[in-house]
Amino acid sequence: MSANLIWLLWEATLQTLYMVAASTVIGTAFGLPLGVFLATSQRGELLSAPWANKVLGLVVNATRSVPFIILVVAIIPLTRALVGTSIGTDAAIVPLTLAAIPFIARLVENAIREVDAGLIEAARAMGATPFQIIRKVLIREARPGIALGLTLAVVSLIGYSAMVGAVGGEGLGDLGIRYGYQRFMPEVMLAVVVVLIVLVQLVQSLGEWIAARFDKRAPRNRGR
Amino acid sequence: MTGNTAAGAAISFEGVGKAFAGPGGTRVHALEDVTLAVEPGAICGIIGRSGAGKSTLLRMVNGLERPTSGTVTVAGRDVGRAGGAGLRTIRRGVGMIFQHFNLLSSRTVAGNIALPLEIAGTPAPDIRARVADLIARVGLDGLAGRYPAELSGGQKQRVGIARALATQPRVLLSDEATSALDPETTQTVLRLLADINRDLGLTVLLITHEMAVVRDIASHMAVIEGGRIVESGPTYDIFARPTHPTTRSFLGGVTGLTLPGFIAGRMEEARPDGPSDEVIRVTFAGTHATDPMLSKLATELGIASNILAGAIEEVGPHPFGNLLISVDAQRGAEARAYLERHGLLTKVLGYVR
């Protein structure tokens, strides 16, 4: 493989990391509160708002039902309004983020629902406000689950980011399609796949390490 | 605490009921017309089977459950009608410990004890000092940095107790706090609760399904059955003279009240013709508990008695004994009269041929 190709691969890797990082950060900024709300707003729960819960649940499900490649094309007007253009790596962050928000919200919701209801009761008995319970009990206790959920989200976003070539987004997926497939350069395709495998491995290991650091539930069982 | 509410009570229930919407539009009554007053500094044990409503009753004291009728007051404040900030203030004056401890797995011992103080907005240096005091108070020295998963059940409940005491409440609620512990650990935890009650003058309301817990630390008790209080009063009086069948069946588990099977199987209610033995339950209360009454019965009246079952133990600070004896049925009335005259309680259980 020529030096030129290695350079292309390096650039594509950075672009992928940029898109995934940006959509994860923005997606978490919106998805985490949304997930917390979904987990605490059913009837009789901490923030009891059954109607808002149902409506937001429907929106989340609807967004998650749309195949990513269709979402990318369908929201082009929104992308143009937000970024000023619908083409390129920056523009690709919009559909990636939009896909990340409901996904992260559901993962956070699941992690928070895993927290023992007895802890909520104990905190209520202490005179905690709903906001204090969310911040000091629910999110804190759910940290291992949230870390694993975000790991899953990042791995999925790495996969999604390969499709944004359709709107001129660059990155590893785009490189693989244009060079490996359209220019018949199988060695590029192979290199792209190898880099993706390594990336996903690193993300997964990092996520599990962070989750284990947060998890104080059974210290003696760690590293089974 | 005799069932009537008192103005100076630490906790009082007046005509409290709780009804839920049941299946098919019916109303399910978890509690009905509960009236009970707990005096300041008392340890009141509420005993009942699961589903009797004791948990609902306990949770009304800190507003985790609201009554559908009646009034629950803590130190004169109406809990059932408080909401928002008012309810949170009441809750900070009421500590609670739980059967399954309900500790945060992600916080250390010190972190768990600090939580109610953080919630109350206590400044950090004060929290550190208070947490250190509490750790020493409950005997967890050296374990401040451990996580709950690294502790034994008894240690976890000590953390729970320290946490419940953090905001210096006047009332402590205990929700089956020893039910998940082995008997030995139960004893040490109960002793800690009794010490705290004595040293801090804290009022304790506990629910349990174990009569032994009530016997060991409760100054007062109430028996709950089907959502109603069927019997309440000083623990000692209820142990000595239980009136309700539910109370008796709970007592059977902790006192020597159970007849050996070979006698129970042959016992008849009415006195049969011909020679027979009368089976009598003798309750020794107060100072008489240690008197050798049965040997006096033999020497003074010449009535020989056969001990079938029995135990002498302590209810609170008082010795308390229960014996099942049999005597010749012809002299049964005479023996009972003699024992009653000397301050013991007797009851004929039946006759054996």
Side-chain angles (χ1 to χ4, degrees):
Chain A
M1 211 171 5
S2 70
N4 187 33
L5 272 180
I6 290 174
W7 176 246
L8 277 175
L9 202 61
W10 171 246
E11 267 200 328
T13 304
L14 289 183
Q15 284 155 351
T16 292
L17 289 176
Y18 166 62
M19 287 187 291
V20 170
S23 54
T24 302
V25 169
I26 306 171
T28 305
F30 288 92
L32 182 72
L34 181 58
V36 169
F37 182 79
L38 287 172
T40 55
S41 57
Q42 281 180 10
R43 188 179 303 282
E45 290 181 333
L46 220 48
L47 301 176
S48 186
W51 278 104
N53 181 288
K54 275 203 181 67
V55 171
L56 284 174
L58 279 174
V59 172
V60 162
N61 288 345
T63 316
R64 295 198 57 206
S65 314
V66 181
F68 183 68
I69 190 71
I70 294 178
L71 185 76
V72 170
V73 183
I75 63 156
I76 282 177
L78 175 70
T79 306
R80 193 173 290 133
L82 286 174
V83 191
T85 171
S86 62
I87 292 173
T89 305
D90 284 338
I93 290 171
V94 176
L96 281 172
T97 303
L98 211 64
I101 291 171
F103 190 39
I104 290 173
R106 283 295 187 211
L107 292 166
V108 168
E109 181 189 0
N110 285 344
I112 286 187
R113 288 207 178 276
E114 288 291 307
V115 177
D116 182 359
L119 298 184
I120 300 177
E121 186 178 66
R124 285 176 67 209
M126 287 172 206
T129 62
F131 183 68
Q132 284 175 322
I133 295 175
I134 287 169
R135 194 164 54 95
K136 289 186 176 287
V137 177
L138 291 180
I139 294 183
R140 198 181 158 102
E141 282 289 299
R143 281 188 313 189
I146 292 174
L148 288 176
L150 285 180
T151 306
L152 193 60
V154 170
V155 169
S156 298
L157 285 171
I158 291 174
Y160 285 174
S161 74
M163 294 184 227
V164 295
V167 289
E170 293 167 300
L172 288 165
D174 182 53
L175 182 72
I177 295 285
R178 283 192 292 123
Y179 285 73
Y181 179 62
Q182 290 162 352
R183 297 190 194 179
F184 302 107
M185 295 169 77
E187 72 276 18
V188 177
M189 190 67 97
L190 184 68
V192 163
V193 170
V194 168
V195 172
L196 283 172
I197 289 172
V198 170
L199 270 186
V200 169
Q201 279 303 339
L202 288 176
V203 167
Q204 188 66 36
S205 302
L206 181 69
E208 283 173 9
W209 181 77
I210 292 171
R213 292 269 310 201
F214 282 145
D215 193 352
K216 308 291 185 189
R217 280 170 295 192
R220 283 176 212 92
N221 292 340
R222 216 179 290 147
R224 269 164 298 179
Chain B
M1 199 201 73
T2 53
N4 295 318
T5 53
I11 305 165
S12 107
F13 301 89
E14 281 177 69
V16 171
K18 174 84 179 179
F20 300 98
T26 56
R27 297 289 279 171
V28 178
H29 293 272
L31 288 176
E32 275 184 278
D33 196 26
V34 170
T35 295
L36 188 71
V38 184
E39 297 306 319
I43 299 184
C44 177
I46 295 177
I47 187 161
R49 299 198 173 81
S50 54
K54 54 189 192 297
S55 182
T56 309
L57 192 64
L58 188 79
R59 281 167 169 67
M60 282 180 175
V61 178
N62 59 2
L64 293 175
E65 297 265 10
R66 282 174 192 274
T68 44
S69 60
T71 313
V72 181
T73 55
V74 174
R77 286 197 278 195
D78 189 336
V79 186
R81 279 166 197 83
L87 181 57
R88 286 194 287 274
T89 307
I90 293 175
R91 283 174 173 169
R92 281 169 201 169
V94 179
M96 187 168 185
I97 55 176
F98 304 87
Q99 179 175 4
H100 298 295
F101 323 120
N102 293 353
L103 302 176
L104 269 67
S105 68
S106 60
R107 280 179 174 241
T108 60
V109 166
N112 268 289
I113 299 171
L115 183 62
L117 296 166
E118 289 174 23
I119 284 168
T122 310
D126 296 356
I127 292 182
R128 272 194 296 278
R130 180 98 186 104
V131 168
D133 280 354
L134 287 161
I135 286 177
R137 161 87 256 186
V138 300
L140 287 173
D141 306 81
L143 298 177
R146 298 284 185 88
Y147 287 92
E150 300 168 307
L151 303 178
S152 70
Q155 289 170 332
K156 284 182 199 169
Q157 197 56 285
R158 284 166 187 275
V159 178
I161 292 169
R163 182 178 70 173
L165 296 177
T167 51
Q168 298 184 293
R170 299 306 303 149
V171 169
L172 180 67
L173 305 178
S174 165
D175 179 4
E176 298 272 11
T178 56
S179 299
L181 304 175
D182 61 65
E184 208 170 306
T185 314
T186 294
Q187 283 308 314
T188 63
V189 168
L190 291 179
R191 218 170 297 139
L192 176 62
L193 285 176
D195 288 350
I196 287 164
N197 164 261
R198 194 189 56 227
D199 298 349
L200 308 177
L202 207 64
T203 308
V204 180
L205 182 63
L206 62 90
I207 60 173
T208 182
H209 61 271
E210 293 169 308
M211 204 56 151
V213 169
V214 173
R215 177 194 64 201
D216 292 345
I217 68 165
S219 60
H220 294 75
M221 65 178 286
V223 182
I224 188 167
E225 168 88 0
R228 291 173 176 277
I229 302 266
V230 295
E231 195 158 5
S232 71
T235 308
Y236 194 73
D237 295 354
I238 290 183
F239 267 67
R241 295 175 203 85
T243 56
H244 196 273
T246 307
T247 315
R248 291 214 192 92
S249 86
F250 274 119
L251 279 170
V254 283
T255 58
L257 270 176
T258 326
L259 276 172
F262 74 96
I263 297 218
R266 283 165 42 210
M267 206 152 72
E268 298 167 36
E269 276 198 23
R271 187 178 163 188
D273 298 331
S276 68
D277 282 341
E278 186 174 291
V279 179
I280 307 170
R281 185 183 67 204
V282 183
T283 302
F284 299 67
T287 50
H288 295 290
T290 48
D291 290 354
M293 290 312 297
L294 293 184
S295 63
K296 282 188 183 171
L297 187 67
T299 52
E300 290 181 22
L301 296 185
I303 302 177
S305 57
N306 205 353
I307 298 174
L308 305 173
I312 294 184
E313 55 204 332
E314 289 186 326
V315 174
H318 310 290
F320 178 87
N322 251 305
L323 279 183
L324 299 178
I325 62 170
S326 68
V327 298
D328 183 352
Q330 283 181 345
R331 306 201 64 185
E334 200 184 335
R336 279 182 279 122
Y338 178 83
L339 294 173
E340 294 270 358
R341 221 168 34 243
H342 288 81
L344 308 190
L345 300 167
T346 62
K347 183 172 168 42
V348 179
L349 300 179
Y351 297 87
V352 179
R353 239 186 274 252

